[in-house]
Amino acid sequence: DAKTTQPTSMDCAEGRAANLPCNHSTISGNEYVYWYRQIHSQGPQYIIHGLKNNETNEMASLIITEDRKSSTLILPHATLRDTAVYYCIVRVAPAAYYTGANSKLTFGKGITLSVRP
Amino acid sequence: DTAVSQTPKYLVTQMGNDKSIKCEQNLGHDTMYWYKQDSKKFLKIMFSYNNKELIINETVPNRFSPKSPDKAHLNLHINSLELGDSAVYFCASSQDWREQFFGPGTRLTVL
């Protein structure tokens, strides 16, 4: 799986958008970009994933550049509960959609987002 | 209802002891995992099981032996505990490759 690079930390004000960057310049054509987060003392939580199109769900938006070498996770209205470590992960899609068994997640250091009141 | 649960939440034990951590998921998923998060917060996969069959074993010492009595349970047994085994252990499950659901973690402290 391709390596990702994220800043160590960032902060934002409550209610404002948090834009978390991720660099994955060696990404291959069949690799997806995933974001997970880990709130203090909890297990990681899936946020969103995408291949090349921008994606949005109830938690966040994922913007992937046209060359796919970088992406940005956007939390549109950050709250104090969004304070967490956010992991950008690049992983290959398996041949079969329902093949979960070989789908290990390789976590990096992540970026610590601190949302201030 | 908790989707992925682990017991115990905290485990403090002496070096050399044998201990087990239990994991249960009520999501009906076929695949379960064990991850280890060390003191530097790096999170690494240890094992994955699919329908009770071991699929991934990431060069984990033989002292660690996962056991899956059925596809809803994946337990982790550790023999001859060492100081370096101190970590937070997370269980996870998934039905497909898109999303993994993690448990709350078990903090193991070896004295």
Side-chain angles (χ1 to χ4, degrees):
Chain A
D1 291 344
K3 187 176 178 180
T4 62
T5 304
Q6 300 176 255
T8 303
S9 63
M10 66 176 291
D11 63 20
C12 76
E14 189 177 19
R16 304 298 293 269
N19 298 311
L20 286 70
C22 180
N23 182 286
H24 31 79
S25 58
T26 60
I27 193 169
S28 300
N30 63 344
E31 290 182 311
Y32 283 71
V33 179
Y34 272 75
W35 284 83
Y36 275 75
R37 74 179 182 183
Q38 187 174 21
I39 295 171
H40 182 63
S41 297
Q42 296 184 22
Q45 176 189 24
Y46 166 83
I47 301 174
I48 199 168
H49 76 280
L51 182 62
K52 52 185 176 182
N53 296 323
N54 297 337
E55 302 289 344
T56 295
N57 62 20
E58 65 279 3
M59 289 183 69
S61 294
L62 174 61
I63 308 298
I64 303 174
T65 59
E66 194 168 339
D67 62 9
R68 304 210 319 122
K69 293 185 177 183
S70 64
S71 60
T72 300
L73 178 75
I74 301 173
L75 307 179
H77 306 287
T79 70
L80 298 179
R81 287 178 294 180
D82 291 323
T83 293
V85 178
Y86 288 77
Y87 298 97
C88 172
I89 300 167
V90 171
R91 57 200 289 243
V92 176
Y97 181 86
Y98 288 103
T99 302
N102 288 327
S103 301
K104 66 179 181 181
L105 291 168
T106 302
F107 290 85
K109 297 180 182 180
I111 178 173
T112 300
L113 173 67
S114 300
V115 180
R116 61 181 188 275
Chain B
D1 277 349
T2 303
V4 182
S5 59
Q6 297 178 226
T7 54
K9 187 169 177 62
Y10 300 96
L11 184 54
V12 181
T13 188
Q14 300 286 332
M15 278 177 54
N17 285 350
D18 303 337
K19 290 293 179 184
S20 292
I21 306 171
K22 295 185 177 182
C23 177
E24 177 181 2
Q25 54 97 2
N26 62 7
L27 299 168
H29 290 166
D30 288 335
T31 307
M32 296 184 72
Y33 313 79
W34 278 109
Y35 286 82
K36 176 182 179 181
Q37 188 166 39
D38 61 25
S39 57
K40 295 184 178 180
K41 304 295 186 183
F42 286 112
L43 196 60
K44 289 186 67 175
I45 183 112
M46 299 174 69
F47 302 101
S48 82
Y49 267 74
N50 183 264
N51 275 320
K52 302 193 297 176
E53 180 185 354
L54 178 66
I55 302 298
I56 294 175
N57 182 337
E58 288 283 311
T59 60
V60 177
N62 291 336
R63 299 182 295 104
F64 291 79
S65 53
K67 287 184 172 52
S68 182
D70 54 62
K71 76 173 192 177
H73 296 83
L74 180 62
N75 304 323
L76 184 65
H77 188 77
I78 315 169
N79 290 326
S80 303
L81 277 156
E82 301 178 355
L83 293 176
D85 298 332
S86 294
V88 181
Y89 292 85
F90 289 99
C91 176
S93 74
S94 69
Q95 185 55 29
D96 55 55
W97 69 280
R98 291 177 306 165
E99 180 177 356
Q100 292 184 18
F101 294 80
F102 284 79
T106 295
R107 181 175 294 276
L108 171 65
T109 302
V110 182
L111 304 175

